[in-house]
Each structure stands twice: as C-alpha cells, then as structure tokens.
Amino acid sequence: MISPASILGSQSPKLKSLPPLSLYIHIPWCLKKCPYCDFNSHAIRGEGSQAPEEEYVAALIRDLEFALQDVWGRRLSSVFFGGGTPSLFSAKAIDAILTAVRTLLPLEHFAEVTLEANPGTFEAQKFADFRAAGINRLSIGIQSFNAQHLKALGRVHDDQEAHRAVEIALKNFDNINLDLMYALPGQTLEEAQADIEMACSLGVTHISAYHLTLEPNTLFHRFPPNLPDDEQAAAMQEMIEQTTASHQYRNYETSAFARAGKESRHNMNYWLFGDYLGIGAGAHSKISFADKIVRQMRTKQPKEYLSKANAAESLIQTQQILTPADRGFEFMMNALRLTGGFETAVFQERTGLPVAAVQKQLDEAEQRGLLVHDNHRIKPTVLGRRFLNDLLQLFLPETPNPG
C-alpha cells in the first residue's frame, strides 16, 4: 500500500512544473437516455422541446470566466465537447463557445478540438459548419452497426443512420473516432467481429471499443439483460485486439486503437495525469498548483447550474485537495491503462512524489508478473492488462486504522 508520508515527512510535495492543460466542456442533453448510460445526461422531453442552447452557452462562458483565476496564463493543449450529445447544439453555439475560449485562454498551435456526435443528429451542412467553427476531430457514438443490437441498447439510430453518419463525417473531417461496444445483450463472437471489421474497413483514424458494463443508477442495472459471460467477453476482447492490429491500428490504451500519430491527445493527457478544466453541468476538473492538486465538480443538475450561473454564484459543488497517497494512486490508476506504460520520470513530474513512494508496490507487481519497470519506464505486462483491477489494487492508499 502507498504510504508516501514516511518518505516525505510532513512536507507537502511540490511540483517543479505544471502539466499540460486540457478543457472539457459538458453539454448534458440528449434525445433519449440510453439504458446503460451513467453519465450526467438528460433527455429532452416532449415533442418539439429543445435544450436551452443560448442560455447554456452564456452560462458556460461565465463558468470559464470564473475559473480563469485557477489557470491564468496557461495554454490549452486540447478541447473536448462531451455529453450528452453535444452535436444537438447548433454550429453557431459551438462557434460562440470556441470564440470565448480562444479569447480567454490561448490554444496551442494545432490544438486538438473534439466534438462528440451521435448518429441521428447528422446533417451534412451542420457538420461542415462545425468544421468551420474550429472542430478538427469528431467522435461518433456508433456502439454497433447491427440493427438488433442498437435496438437492445436503446439507441435512437439504426444501422443505416450509423453508416450515413460516418459518410458525412468522412467528407468533413480527417480525424474521426468511432465508439463501439462489445459483450452486448445476446451478442455472439461473430457479431462482435462483424462490428469491428466494419469499423476498420471505413478507414477512420481511431476506434474505441468498450466492454459494456452494468453501471449503478442505470436501467440495465435494475433490469439486467442477458450478457455474454466473462469467457465470451474475453474472447471478444482478444479478437478486437487482433482484428484492429491486422488493419494497422495500435492498441495504445485498454480500449483505444489508433492509426500512427492519431492517438487522442485529450485522453492521453487524462491518462498521464495532466490537468483538465471542466466546465458545464457536472463537469470534473483536476488542476495542479505548485503546492497542491485540486479536484472539483460543477453543480450537476442543468437547471440549478443555469440558475447559479445567471445569479453569478459559485458553480463548484465539491472541491478536494489530493493527499500524497491519492496522487500516487490516481496517477497509477490512469497511466497503467496505457499499453506502452509511461516514462518513470513522469510519475515524479506529475505527482511531486519520488518513485520510491511506490517502490514496494512496483516490486510486488513485478513479482506477480503484472508489470515490468526500470529507471526509465514502467509498463504493464499482457497479464497486467488482462487483470488491470488486480494490478491497480496494489496501489490503493492505506486506510488509517480507526484508533
């Protein structure tokens, strides 16, 4: 178990330099809440109903203005519009948000700017306008190309709309991610293979393939569907890794596959314990200062978020300063998802802790065949990637004895 206190004494670990900074913008509305989704997303209710676009854009800009004091003078390496379904918003709204972002915080040259989009919101002109507004990477929530599985997942689009969405995307963007899921209700290995083969054949730059899990507070958790067992799911994962590799996609993170040089820069920053400012209802932030690392969460309910923004009240619902033990665990929890691991020096740069703080855990993980490490790199083995939870458990902070 991590116990950096014995190494550092009572001194709070200092950071010599701040990590890269990303911006996450949460747009919480979608056409319909999917039965497996545990994100802070809210269905637009009633025929002809619309999200309060103009009011929410104004609130996001206010949110960013309030947050400037924490990130003043820092450059953004990436921007990510997540949700919900951000592509429900007009290109004019996205343009207004990005104009405000560029005014308040400098973007790095060639910064990656991603928008999540779902089939069913795709109109050719709208996506051309998104590109003109400054979006240069699109992430499409396909989930499956199988009509039956899309219906089981409660998706609002069918297989034809999925293909149409990719067709429109390819005409406007040269950096596209497709989100797929596997181990779906009633899915066979052959059906999972058909999905991943189809995704690879479309020539997109990035594919994310997630194992469907039953998350608390979802409809699927209350009424569990019949899912493939662990052995079948593992066979699907192995097949996905082999299929993507044969199409020149590199499996650089547990669920992420990219063509050379097309890894998600925004997600890489998360996984390497970089900083991110989250604005919008329920958005999370992790901000480093020289002497502390702070986590924040914005007010979660959209109506309350809008009300507080209009009244110029604080939008931060919770704030926590990470302890040294939290820093070590959170770094490992993210960075050990990377297939190639990470440079040893990055641990100290991002946490302020010497590697000696986790030496005992590293040695135990290596003895158990879960990772390999030396002075230059720490990397999970194939076994460690398969049993990632077991590997991460070794780095859990010690819980103090109750007296």
Side-chain angles (χ1 to χ4, degrees):
M1 299 290 175
I2 290 181
S3 182
S6 57
I7 292 163
L8 296 165
S10 59
Q11 185 186 0
S12 178
K14 298 274 196 291
L15 297 179
K16 288 180 181 172
S17 61
L18 299 180
L21 176 68
S22 295
L23 175 66
Y24 174 78
I25 301 167
H26 191 72
I27 295 176
W29 292 281
C30 48
L31 291 172
K32 177 187 170 191
K33 182 82 172 175
C34 295
Y36 57 84
C37 175
D38 71 334
F39 295 138
N40 184 33
S41 59
H42 303 264
I44 296 171
R45 301 191 188 282
E47 186 120 6
S49 296
Q50 284 187 316
E53 182 175 289
E54 205 172 312
E55 191 186 357
Y56 194 72
V57 169
L60 284 172
I61 294 168
R62 249 178 241 125
D63 192 349
L64 185 57
E65 287 169 345
F66 292 154
L68 278 183
Q69 59 185 359
D70 289 341
V71 293
W72 188 252
R74 294 178 66 180
R75 283 184 173 273
L76 293 174
S77 59
S78 62
V79 179
F80 194 104
F81 288 85
T85 306
S87 54
L88 282 176
F89 271 29
S90 66
K92 184 183 171 187
I94 299 299
D95 188 30
I97 296 165
L98 284 174
T99 299
V101 169
R102 289 188 202 100
T103 304
L104 296 168
L105 279 171
L107 261 71
E108 284 181 7
H109 205 39
F110 300 121
E112 179 187 89
V113 185
T114 303
L115 179 86
E116 284 187 335
N118 282 334
T121 64
F122 269 77
E123 301 151 30
Q125 187 56 51
K126 186 179 185 181
F127 279 80
D129 292 343
F130 282 147
R131 182 66 200 251
I135 301 297
N136 56 29
R137 184 176 183 271
L138 210 57
S139 182
I140 311 175
I142 298 287
Q143 314 316 351
S144 175
F145 289 98
N146 180 306
Q148 187 184 335
H149 291 140
L150 287 169
K151 199 172 177 184
L153 288 172
R155 301 295 286 175
V156 296
H157 67 274
D158 60 21
D159 53 327
Q160 289 181 321
E161 284 176 302
H163 284 285
R164 175 82 179 127
V166 178
E167 190 184 311
I168 291 171
L170 285 166
K171 283 180 181 163
N172 293 286
F173 295 88
D174 52 13
N175 198 2
I176 297 168
N177 168 62
L178 299 184
D179 271 351
L180 293 179
M181 297 174 89
Y182 67 93
L184 307 179
Q187 189 180 42
T188 64
L189 180 65
E190 291 71 28
E191 287 169 335
Q193 182 153 11
D195 267 351
I196 201 70
E197 290 276 10
M198 175 57 70
C200 290
S201 73
L202 293 168
V204 294
T205 49
H206 195 286
I207 295 169
S208 301
Y210 300 105
H211 186 304
L212 173 63
T213 50
L214 303 185
E215 301 289 355
N217 305 316
T218 64
L219 194 66
F220 272 6
H221 194 265
R222 289 200 295 278
F223 305 101
N226 183 24
L227 300 178
D229 61 27
D230 289 348
E231 201 174 310
Q232 291 168 312
M236 289 179 189
Q237 184 183 349
E238 199 170 320
M239 174 275 298
I240 288 167
E241 288 169 5
Q242 289 171 354
T243 305
T244 49
S246 70
H247 287 82
Q248 282 72 56
Y249 290 92
R250 187 174 75 87
N251 182 197
Y252 70 100
E253 184 271 344
T254 304
S255 307
F257 307 82
R259 289 271 164 88
K262 294 296 184 180
E263 295 81 5
S264 166
R265 280 185 264 158
H266 187 84
N267 287 344
M268 281 297 290
N269 193 39
Y270 280 157
W271 292 321
L272 286 172
F273 208 53
D275 280 356
Y276 47 93
L277 172 63
I279 60 171
H284 291 255
S285 301
K286 177 228 161 203
I287 309 290
S288 298
F289 301 86
D291 59 344
K292 63 185 176 183
I293 298 176
V294 177
R295 282 206 177 279
Q296 299 170 339
M297 189 183 89
R298 297 296 192 263
T299 298
K300 198 170 181 183
Q301 285 301 323
K303 277 185 183 172
E304 190 187 350
Y305 176 85
L306 287 169
S307 165
K308 286 188 169 186
N310 287 335
E313 293 176 24
S314 172
L315 295 165
I316 296 170
Q317 187 170 312
T318 61
Q319 181 159 299
Q320 169 206 4
I321 295 175
L322 297 186
T323 65
D326 290 335
R327 293 186 191 191
F329 172 64
E330 289 196 15
F331 180 96
M332 289 298 184
M333 184 174 68
N334 289 291
L336 286 174
R337 292 180 63 87
L338 294 169
T339 310
F342 55 92
E343 290 178 18
T344 308
V346 175
F347 178 83
Q348 183 153 0
E349 281 171 24
R350 303 283 161 92
T351 65
L353 301 167
V355 175
V358 289
Q359 194 61 52
K360 185 181 157 199
Q361 293 86 347
L362 290 171
D363 291 343
E364 186 178 342
E366 186 150 39
Q367 283 164 13
R368 288 170 57 175
L370 299 174
L371 62 69
V372 290
H373 75 286
D374 58 27
N375 291 335
H376 305 292
R377 184 161 284 274
I378 296 168
K379 178 181 170 181
T381 59
V382 173
L383 187 69
R385 285 164 49 207
R386 283 283 180 268
F387 295 94
L388 188 58
N389 287 341
D390 293 344
L391 172 55
L392 297 179
Q393 208 148 4
L394 294 173
F395 296 91
L396 271 171
E398 287 176 344
T399 46
N401 287 328

